[in-house]
Amino acid sequence: MKRARTIEINAREPAGAVPRLQSVVVKFIEGTRVLTEGELQANSITRHHVTDFYREHISNGGHYEQLKHIVEPSLEEFESPGSLDTSGEHDNTVLPGLQHKYAQTGLLLVTDRCASYCRFCFRKRLVGKDSNEIAPDFARLAQYISGHPEMTNVLLSGGDPFVLSTAKLDNILDHLLPIRHLQSIRFGTKIVAFHPRRFEDPALPALFERIREAGKTGVIVTHFDHIGEISVDAERNIRFLYAQGVQFLNQSVLLAKVNDDPEILAATFDKCHQIGVRPYYLFQGRPVKGASHFQVPLRRGLEIARCASQRLAGPQKTFKYIMSHYTGKIEILDLGADGRVYMRYHQNKTPENIGKIFSRPYVEGACWLDELPEG
């Protein structure tokens, strides 16, 4: 893989170390600032790391003013409150590197690296760092999965699994493919936007063929937030793998200043559909420390999702507007005439709650369930 140009704006410290006071020069969207490494770490400012491909693509693609916010640091990150674990990942970790929040799904953290780092990342606590949350022992994880027949699918995430070599991914599959009750293996990735030539690896089709031969379904979950991220290279490589039988889903995050426009979202989902990628989730931005300035109020989010849907043909209307909350994945349905937000549990730790519709009084400007009062 071509080496990406890297600009690090916070050096990694050993666990428990006192942050150093060395000054660093940081180029923010708003201008250059001199800060200490301690200030960057204390405010959970993610490393600035962008592939040459993505930098050049967004600079030349006509959407730079929106897409720069995905990868370029902003001073808003210092005034953006929240937490570093908004959906209870720590509480649902059953073994290092394995989360089991929903009965049917296991989530494997296979790396703490990405090709480029998104400023809105909800795993800022671990990406770009030497994290102890990454799976160290796949044999042990496979033993756990084997003992839980209700788990029918696993999602490889991180970080981005495709920063790993195909040989390393094959080694992970060595542990997963023999598990008879696993029906599908998903790979969550944004590399298809950041560095699509990763998918030209001649060993990659054989990896997905292994999955098929084991009687399972291989799925790549892409992460296109804006039509401007879908390059010619990305389209070509997706079409090639799709023709080889790989299924594709896309998840997007609703982001202020980036894609909070129904025309942009409709164009993105339309393009995904054209190239064989099914629009899957439109996530409500999470209240992540250093990233909550990307959130869009729920009233506006519902309007955007509805207006985007109105611009799409029936087969393209496959996305759900989702809040990935501590209590579960919540589909945001509507703001009623009674002033209440209506929602439904798309996923929940308690199976009896899946599909349950509930509502809360709307508070103007609210972006998250916890900002809506019960009653």
Side-chain angles (χ1 to χ4, degrees), residues 127-195:
V127 295
K129 303 174 182 178
D130 294 324
S131 171
N132 60 6
E133 295 186 52
I134 303 308
D137 186 348
F138 289 101
R140 188 180 176 200
L141 300 193
Q143 185 177 19
Y144 176 92
I145 296 169
S146 296
H148 288 266
E150 75 278 11
M151 191 185 294
T152 58
N153 73 99
V154 293
L155 169 63
L156 275 61
S157 186
D160 193 310
F162 283 106
V163 301
L164 303 178
S165 68
T166 303
K168 176 63 175 176
L169 294 175
D170 260 319
N171 290 338
I172 295 173
L173 291 182
D174 288 342
H175 299 284
L176 299 176
L177 295 183
I179 303 174
R180 296 183 62 181
H181 57 263
L182 279 184
Q183 298 172 3
S184 67
I185 297 174
R186 289 179 284 160
F187 300 80
T189 183
K190 200 171 171 70
I191 282 190
V192 72
F194 287 147
H195 190 71

Side-chain angles (χ1 to χ4, degrees), residues 298-299 302 323 332 334-343 358-375:
L298 291 169
R299 180 193 293 275
L302 279 162
M323 181 189 302
I332 309 166
D334 201 2
L335 177 57
D338 57 0
R340 300 180 69 87
V341 181
Y342 286 83
M343 296 164 278
F358 64 102
S359 68
R360 289 194 179 182
Y362 182 63
V363 175
E364 201 60 50
C367 300
W368 202 244
L369 180 68
D370 300 348
E371 300 171 46
L372 304 177
E374 296 186 28

Side-chain angles (χ1 to χ4, degrees), residues 344-348 350-357:
R344 172 171 52 208
Y345 274 112
H346 180 65
Q347 277 285 24
N348 193 280
T350 305
E352 291 76 15
N353 287 336
I354 297 174
K356 177 182 177 181
I357 294 177

Side-chain angles (χ1 to χ4, degrees), residues 249-292:
L249 304 172
N250 185 69
Q251 58 185 28
S252 303
V253 181
L254 182 59
L255 301 166
K257 299 183 181 180
V258 177
N259 62 7
D260 53 339
D261 181 318
E263 291 190 10
I264 289 174
L265 284 179
T268 304
F269 297 155
D270 177 49
K271 183 64 175 180
C272 283
H273 178 78
Q274 288 178 33
I275 65 177
V277 181
R278 182 166 69 87
Y280 180 41
Y281 288 146
L282 172 63
F283 281 112
Q284 174 70 358
R286 308 189 197 198
V288 179
K289 182 181 180 183
S292 58

Side-chain angles (χ1 to χ4, degrees), residues 214-234:
K216 308 181 193 310
T217 302
V219 181
I220 294 177
V221 184
T222 62
H223 186 167
F224 293 119
D225 293 303
H226 190 292
I227 188 172
E229 294 187 309
I230 307 177
S231 64
V232 171
D233 299 81

Side-chain angles (χ1 to χ4, degrees), residues 28-48:
F28 292 95
I29 289 173
E30 299 84 355
T32 301
R33 297 288 189 277
V34 178
L35 300 162
T36 67
E37 292 173 354
E39 287 177 302
L40 294 169
Q41 292 176 36
N43 288 278
S44 300
I45 306 300
T46 305
R47 292 170 60 195
H48 182 194

